[in-house]
């Protein structure tokens, strides 16, 4: 069973905002609601600028789901975190809980009233009939039900943003890192993730010597 | 009483009673359980019509198509 995830490669993202535009266009997202956005770190610092495309990360243990007072969130069998807008009361707790700022609230009502929460659906719609006008109006297009991946990932020109089954996405990223000039295994693997490069012992050195006590 | 009067009275009564059809407004929440509408599987409707394996293949094909290294090798 697929476990859907996004992955953004900061080495490739050129801050073109193509993913943001694709999402806006695909779902006809209203003004003021940004299901996806590009965040730039070290903006303007030569050589240190990195951009990342951020949206709902469809967490395995989603904090939005934990704090929702009306329990309007659910996780699909593919690991996509979705919510029922008919149940949502627009309280905003999910926005406080989310580490990525994914939940968005339309403010087009009277007196700046906060509407029901809107967020990235991994292009999987919501709990209405698949690809019905009702589903499109509330959640946007259901590309997953059409056998397609999210529009942002498929639209990405440099393929910085990957989406799909987590195993397959990880394989693509591994291939890519291993093929990068001058880097490769040094920026992908156990030592990078869990320890410093100088402290990490190669497998040959860490193996016990013959005759040594265990 | 004429038939027209009876019909008018019945219509008036129906109109007045229309506001009395009160539905329960309070939602009953079960703590820790999803309280919204159930969703269907993405392969349930058209074009897959319940064929999960076909849907899996379509998604896998789309996902692997994001890898330029394998695409370049296939050419």
């Amino acid at each position: 069973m697929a476990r859907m995830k996004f992955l953004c490669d900061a080495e490739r993202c050129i801050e073109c905002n193509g993913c943001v535009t694709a999402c806006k266009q695909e779902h006809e997202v209203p003004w003021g609601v940004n299901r996806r956005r590009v965040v730039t770190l070290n903006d303007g610092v030569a050589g240190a600028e990195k951009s990342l495309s951020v949206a709902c990360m469809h967490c395995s243990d989603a904090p939005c789901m934990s704090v929702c007072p009306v329990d309007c969130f659910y996780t699909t069998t593919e690991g996509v975190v979705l919510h029922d807008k008919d149940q949502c009361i627009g309280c905003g707790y999910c926005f406080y809980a989310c580490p990525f700022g994914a939940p968005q609230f339309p403010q087009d009502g009277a007196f700046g009233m906060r509407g029901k929460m809107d967020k990235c659906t991994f292009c999987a719609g919501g709990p209405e009939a698949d690809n019905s006008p009702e589903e499109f109006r509330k959640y946007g297009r259901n590309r997953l039900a059409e056998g397609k991946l999210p529009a942002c990932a498929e639209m990405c020109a440099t393929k910085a943003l990957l989406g799909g089954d987590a195993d397959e996405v990880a394989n693509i990223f591994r291939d890519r890192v291993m093929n990068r000039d001058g880097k490769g295994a040094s920026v992908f693997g156990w030592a990078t993730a869990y320890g410093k490069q100088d402290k990490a012992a190669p497998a040959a050195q860490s193996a016990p010597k013959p005759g040594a006590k265990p | 009483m004429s038939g027209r009067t009876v019909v008018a009275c019945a219509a008036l009564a129906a109109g007045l009673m229309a506001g009395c059809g009160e539905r329960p407004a309070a939602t009953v929440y079960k703590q820790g359980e999803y309280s919204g509408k159930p969703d269907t599987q993405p392969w349930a409707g058209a074009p897959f019509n319940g064929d999960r394996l076909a849907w899996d293949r379509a998604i896998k094909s789309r996902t692997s198509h994001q890898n330029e290294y394998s695409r370049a090798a296939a050419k």
Side-chain angles (χ1 to χ4, degrees):
Chain A
M1 179 57 67
R3 180 97 199 162
M4 299 299 179
K5 290 288 177 195
F6 282 121
L7 190 151
C8 186
D9 186 350
E11 296 292 320
R12 284 198 180 202
C13 182
I14 56 170
E15 202 190 349
C16 70
N17 278 281
C19 48
V20 177
T21 311
C23 177
K24 281 264 187 188
Q25 189 271 337
E26 189 76 1
H27 305 297
E28 297 180 11
V29 181
W31 282 103
V33 173
N34 293 296
R35 291 184 177 185
R36 178 168 285 286
R37 63 210 181 282
V38 177
V39 176
T40 303
L41 306 173
N42 301 321
D43 203 358
V45 182
E49 207 176 275
K50 297 280 179 204
S51 295
L52 278 170
S53 178
V54 183
C56 173
M57 299 302 281
H58 301 279
C59 308
S60 301
D61 185 8
C64 53
M65 193 182 285
S66 303
V67 301
C68 180
V70 294
D71 287 319
C72 73
F73 288 91
Y74 65 102
T75 308
T76 68
T77 45
E78 300 78 48
V80 180
V81 177
L82 298 174
H83 72 299
D84 185 348
K85 281 194 180 178
D86 292 341
Q87 289 293 108
C88 176
I89 56 173
C91 67
Y93 271 21
C94 49
F95 181 78
Y96 296 129
C98 177
F100 305 102
Q104 304 281 301
F105 295 89
Q107 298 190 351
D108 53 0
F111 313 114
M113 189 179 72
R114 184 161 52 194
K116 291 176 186 281
M117 192 273 276
D118 189 276
K119 75 170 190 73
C120 160
T121 62
F122 208 89
C123 289
E128 303 290 343
D130 286 352
N131 290 319
S132 62
E134 193 69 5
E135 185 183 51
F136 184 79
R137 189 175 63 79
K138 290 180 187 171
Y139 308 99
R141 200 170 147 200
N142 191 340
R143 290 172 59 89
L144 227 56
E146 297 170 7
K148 298 171 184 169
L149 292 173
C152 52
E154 293 210 304
M155 188 70 87
C156 182
T158 60
K159 285 284 160 273
L161 184 63
L162 301 170
D165 181 14
D167 289 338
E168 192 66 33
V169 166
N171 286 339
I172 294 170
F173 192 62
R174 190 183 303 109
D175 260 16
R176 184 180 291 182
V177 171
M178 293 303 180
N179 281 294
R180 263 179 200 153
D181 288 340
K183 291 184 179 174
S186 64
V187 292
F188 192 90
W190 185 269
T192 308
Y194 299 108
K196 289 181 180 174
Q197 199 67 29
D198 54 345
K199 287 184 181 174
Q205 287 179 10
S206 60
K209 291 174 184 172
K213 290 179 181 175
Chain B
M1 195 180 285
S2 70
R4 187 175 287 180
T5 314
V6 171
V7 170
C9 288
L12 183 66
L16 291 172
M17 297 292 283
C20 299
E22 191 178 344
R23 287 187 226 165
T27 311
V28 178
Y29 298 113
K30 288 182 183 174
Q31 185 66 34
E33 281 182 34
Y34 170 57
S35 59
K37 290 189 286 289
D39 199 359
T40 52
Q41 302 289 4
W43 55 82
F48 298 101
N49 301 317
D51 188 350
R52 190 184 131 192
L53 293 177
W55 181 83
D56 271 339
R57 276 197 302 275
I59 291 292
K60 192 174 172 58
S61 157
R62 286 256 182 177
T63 310
S64 58
H65 201 63
Q66 295 176 107
N67 190 355
E68 307 98 327
Y69 292 104
S70 61
R71 271 158 58 193
K75 280 180 184 173

